[in-house]
Amino acid sequence: MTTPPLFYRHPRPPGVRISKIMAGNLHNAVSLILSHMMGGFSFVAVDTQFPGEVHRHPRGDALTADERYGVVKANADELRLLQMGITLCDAQGRLPVIPWGADGGLHEMMWEVDFCDFDARLHRHVPESVEFLRSQGFDFLAARHFGVPADVFAAELHRAGILRLPGITWVTFGGMYDAAFMFKLATFGAPLPESRQGLVAQVGAHFGPLVFDGKYMALAVNAHGSLAAVGEKLGLPALEPNIHMAGPNSLMAIHVFMELRRRFVPLRGGHRSCSLQFYGL
């Protein structure tokens, strides 16, 4: 079997651009994403950013899967989503190529949604997490004034039918919280199910049977650690600039997944044996 190449090399437009999704361009951006998903870009990587873990277990990180899920549920039920990164690719690892800028030059594209629901003066958060995101370039004031309400974004996803598209592969990395916030978007902010099995079942019901966590898959090739560490272990080039925001993280997540997918081809069951398995749960 021929394995799919990871990168779109010939011809490769210079640079991957981030298209910001704010309240003013929400409808057009979601419609464009939908058109690409329906046009063969059926692999969708998602990364979420939220204002830190305000709930911790007294035993720290030495937890059972059920205890860890309890921490995830407590945080996701209370916290507000700050940002979501979305990167699409096709079965050969190619990203959408879209005209960009005043000259209409072609560039590969990813998307980044800023949400407006969080206000550090009103809502619980971890100050260090908020400061880290600010240092990476997240503009909290602009998000609050021009960002998208999570419920409005969810309604637009449902209107477009994105959550019901057949044959879509959803990709995360270290996806416990990604899965939690994807569920919250799909259900307009409903509390997470009481059990981790319930969350997995609900994610499958809303997003389909092909939902993957690259961090879980990487265990099979003895690659551990952060997104950047696993990418380096797999021999992938680091992102430049190395910014830890939702858009670039989703881009790296899709590269990691496509490389792992290629390596899983010879294995019995292939990469699909890892579907709906989340690292830590």
Side-chain angles (χ1 to χ4, degrees), residues 75-202:
N75 283 292
D77 283 350
E78 180 171 358
L79 296 173
R80 292 161 186 259
L81 190 58
L82 296 176
Q83 192 178 70
M84 174 175 280
I86 303 168
T87 298
L88 312 181
C89 78
D90 65 12
Q92 285 72 47
R94 296 176 295 201
L95 275 61
V97 177
I98 299 172
W100 180 263
D103 61 354
L106 296 177
H107 294 274
E108 294 175 315
M109 191 65 64
M110 57 180 150
W111 288 266
E112 202 170 65
V113 189
D114 285 355
F115 296 98
C116 69
D117 306 290
F118 174 76
D119 187 335
R121 299 169 298 182
L122 304 175
H123 304 125
R124 288 190 70 190
H125 63 280
V126 177
E128 294 81 4
S129 297
V130 167
E131 286 307 312
F132 174 75
L133 288 172
R134 185 176 283 114
S135 75
Q136 296 294 295
F138 188 84
D139 189 332
F140 285 88
L141 184 62
R144 197 160 69 244
H145 288 292
F146 305 110
V148 183
D151 283 353
V152 173
F153 182 70
E156 190 67 21
L157 294 180
H158 282 283
R159 179 205 62 78
I162 282 177
L163 305 187
R164 298 186 298 274
L165 280 182
I168 298 300
T169 297
W170 297 89
V171 175
T172 67
F173 185 90
M176 291 189 298
Y177 280 104
D178 295 326
F181 283 109
M182 287 166 69
F183 167 82
K184 287 190 70 175
L185 283 172
T187 60
F188 295 94
L192 266 62
E194 291 301 319
S195 70
R196 59 190 172 91
Q197 295 90 344
L199 175 66
V200 171
Q202 285 296 309

